[in-house]
Amino acid sequence: MTPINDRHRRKDLSLPGVWFVLGAAVCSFALPAQSAQPPQTTAPEHFLFVWTGDRALKGNDFLAVIDADPASASYGRVVTALATDQQTVRVHHTEYSMPAGGMLFANDHDVGRTFIFDVRDPLHPKIHASFTDMAGYMHPHSYLRLPNGNVLATFQHTHHGGGESMGKSGGLVEIDDQGQVIRSASSADPAFAGALLMPYSLVVIPKIDRVVSTNSSMHDDDLFSGVTYQVWRLSDLKLLRTAYFDVGENRYAHVSPEEPRLGPDGSVFVQTLGCGIERITAIDEPEPRSKLVYTFPGNWCGVPTIVGHYLIQSVPAIHGFMVLDIADGAKPKEVSRLELSDVYHPHWTGWDPKTERLVVTSGHTPEDRLYLLKLDQATGALSVDDAFRDSDGKAGFSFAEREWPHGWKGVGAPHGAVFSR
């Protein structure tokens, strides 16, 4: 089994004959001074759910619930946690935002198991259901909600015969909140018979009856093989097109496409592990087009978030985050960056429209904390919410060794994080 978060622990990626040049100077921002506390209520009314594993891979995956109410006296403290019966292998993705129905999907990727949590009562979360393989597919990765409230999930692999045989293609599966299959479709494309077509993540665009998915592997052996995206018809999950991403000047920034996000202009922006941003246009036409429109320094760029006309990207090479103005989608421009330390290794980002804060997680080392960031939506500037503090009095939330509310003592490894509605 691959150790937890191994996909995001390496310091460098390389391809034969490819060299990377990072900017010689990186602007650094110190954490802001402690700000005045807002008026405080007696009990939290807003929460952050953080999908967490045992860093030592001995304990079980669990859902930590943190007070995310800026007006609460316990803002930034863990209030409860729910243990699963799954020993940690690689705790991984949750949904990107809280669904209206309060049933939250989260997976331990390497064991191919998904939990559906009932978090309608945040102080008393429950395990509603769990599942593994579905409709002949295995190892689900990402989950997006459809207009009907069901989840459309990417599954990386198709079963080929018995056992755990893994193919180079997978599929999309629509699943209801009971964990039951509604429909499914294969990512295999005869025109791309030799290509890696393992669905990684997706974006749903009901307005034009389309879904866009990316193909990228969670396995190191296939890490450099993902270079395609696929366009589907949402109404019947018919695969309409498989296409290659645009190759940029460094011949690398298009590699391992991961997270697609719908931009304000209707185009789709895709982050890659090679730290590129690809922009897909003409999605509802017979010949969609992609263009590499921006390249960040380094590699291993993680989960992005779009807020208005800003794209916020986690960039390990600068130990923090960069913000692009994508008002002109063809020509994104950097407007700000925020470094959290000299060693911080950011990965996940997620926006909370209720409090207008961004959650960021790492899980790279026990010292990497979870932070809430504020985004100035007039300028794109990021800053740390210094009022969000753990019980140790420091900004951010610590996953270092502690006694957790569900009775376990150990070091947590966070990944997906989602705010309550």
Side-chain angles (χ1 to χ4, degrees):
M1 292 289 188
T2 303
I4 186 169
N5 289 336
D6 187 64
R7 180 176 173 85
H8 306 291
R9 281 184 174 173
R10 293 185 181 179
K11 294 294 183 183
D12 298 291
L13 285 175
S14 59
L15 284 174
V18 177
W19 293 85
F20 302 95
V21 179
L22 302 184
V26 177
C27 186
S28 178
F29 294 81
L31 295 181
Q34 184 172 3
S35 57
Q37 292 281 352
Q40 295 181 340
T41 60
T42 57
E45 297 180 356
H46 194 52
F47 302 89
L48 179 63
F49 301 93
V50 186
W51 183 223
T52 310
D54 173 14
R55 177 167 293 278
L57 306 180
K58 296 178 180 179
N60 291 358
D61 299 338
F62 63 95
L63 190 69
V65 184
I66 300 172
D67 181 355
D69 182 354
S72 168
S74 57
Y75 186 48
R77 311 288 179 87
V78 62
V79 293
T80 191
L82 174 64
T84 72
D85 62 356
Q86 178 61 58
Q87 183 175 348
T88 297
V89 180
R90 178 154 44 170
V91 70
H92 203 57
H93 270 224
T94 60
E95 296 183 59
Y96 301 103
S97 60
M98 183 59 64
M103 298 292 177
L104 180 67
F105 283 55
N107 71 56
D108 190 307
H109 182 79
D110 282 11
V111 294
R113 188 177 182 189
T114 298
F115 289 91
I116 304 175
F117 293 102
D118 181 347
V119 295
R120 290 174 295 180
D121 180 353
L123 295 177
H124 302 93
K126 302 174 183 178
I127 297 173
H128 181 70
S130 73
F131 60 85
T132 53
D133 303 356
M134 284 189 160
Y137 303 105
M138 55 197 291
H139 291 263
H141 186 274
S142 295
Y143 315 96
L144 264 291
R145 290 284 166 168
L146 298 173
N148 63 10
N150 291 337
V151 157
L152 189 60
T154 55
F155 281 69
Q156 288 248 293
H157 307 292
T158 303
H159 276 300
H160 292 274
E164 288 288 305
S165 177
M166 298 179 183
K168 298 294 184 181
S169 65
L172 305 186
V173 182
E174 181 177 345
I175 310 162
D176 67 18
D177 278 343
Q178 309 308 312
Q180 300 300 310
V181 175
I182 304 300
R183 57 179 177 159
S184 63
S186 173
S187 64
D189 186 338
F192 286 73
L196 181 142
L197 300 177
M198 298 179 186
Y200 186 92
S201 191
L202 70 165
V203 63
V204 177
I205 317 174
K207 186 176 180 180
I208 58 173
D209 193 28
R210 293 293 184 267
V211 174
V212 176
S213 64
T214 57
N215 292 309
S216 186
S217 176
M218 287 289 292
H219 305 286
D220 288 348
D221 290 346
D222 297 315
L223 200 57
F224 302 109
S225 300
V227 291
T228 64
Y229 65 96
Q230 295 181 298
V231 178
W232 314 69
R233 192 161 56 212
L234 173 60
S235 53
D236 60 1
L237 286 189
K238 178 179 174 58
L239 178 61
L240 301 175
R241 184 76 175 173
T242 302
Y244 289 109
F245 279 104
D246 178 42
V247 179
E249 292 183 1
N250 71 0
R251 315 295 295 179
Y252 174 78
H254 67 295
V255 170
S256 293
E258 294 190 331
E259 300 289 347
R261 297 289 184 267
L262 185 62
D265 61 356
S267 63
V268 170
F269 293 81
V270 179
Q271 154 270 338
T272 75
L273 211 59
C275 281
I277 293 292
E278 295 270 357
R279 178 174 178 251
I280 306 173
T281 56
I283 297 165
D284 57 348
E285 298 177 11
E287 299 286 339
R289 298 178 292 275
S290 78
K291 180 69 175 176
L292 183 68
V293 293
Y294 200 87
T295 302
F296 297 100
N299 45 69
W300 290 111
C301 285
V303 177
T305 292
I306 291 178
V307 181
H309 59 92
Y310 295 115
L311 186 150
I312 302 101
Q313 179 64 59
S314 53
V315 183
I318 70 161
H319 307 295
F321 306 87
M322 293 175 61
V323 181
L324 303 182
D325 186 338
I326 55 172
D328 180 351
K331 297 179 180 179
K333 60 181 180 180
E334 179 185 343
V335 293
S336 74
R337 61 176 67 185
L338 174 68
E339 295 180 25
L340 295 180
S341 75
D342 293 335
V343 296
Y344 195 79
H345 196 282
H347 181 63
W348 184 276
T349 67
W351 178 247
D352 178 24
K354 186 172 183 177
T355 64
E356 298 188 337
R357 284 163 171 80
L358 190 81
V359 59
V360 300
T361 72
S362 169
H364 190 65
T365 72
E367 290 73 34
D368 284 349
R369 300 170 77 91
L370 175 153
Y371 292 99
L372 295 192
L373 308 182
K374 295 180 179 180
L375 173 68
D376 185 328
Q377 295 184 56
T379 66
L382 287 175
S383 61
V384 172
D385 181 357
D386 196 52
F388 181 82
R389 291 176 171 252
D390 201 353
S391 54
D392 60 6
K394 300 178 182 179
F397 184 85
S398 173
F399 289 85
E401 184 165 335
R402 65 196 299 164
E403 294 277 358
W404 294 87
H406 59 293
W408 175 72
K409 182 178 181 181
V411 180
H415 203 95
V418 185
F419 291 95
S420 61
R421 293 178 70 88

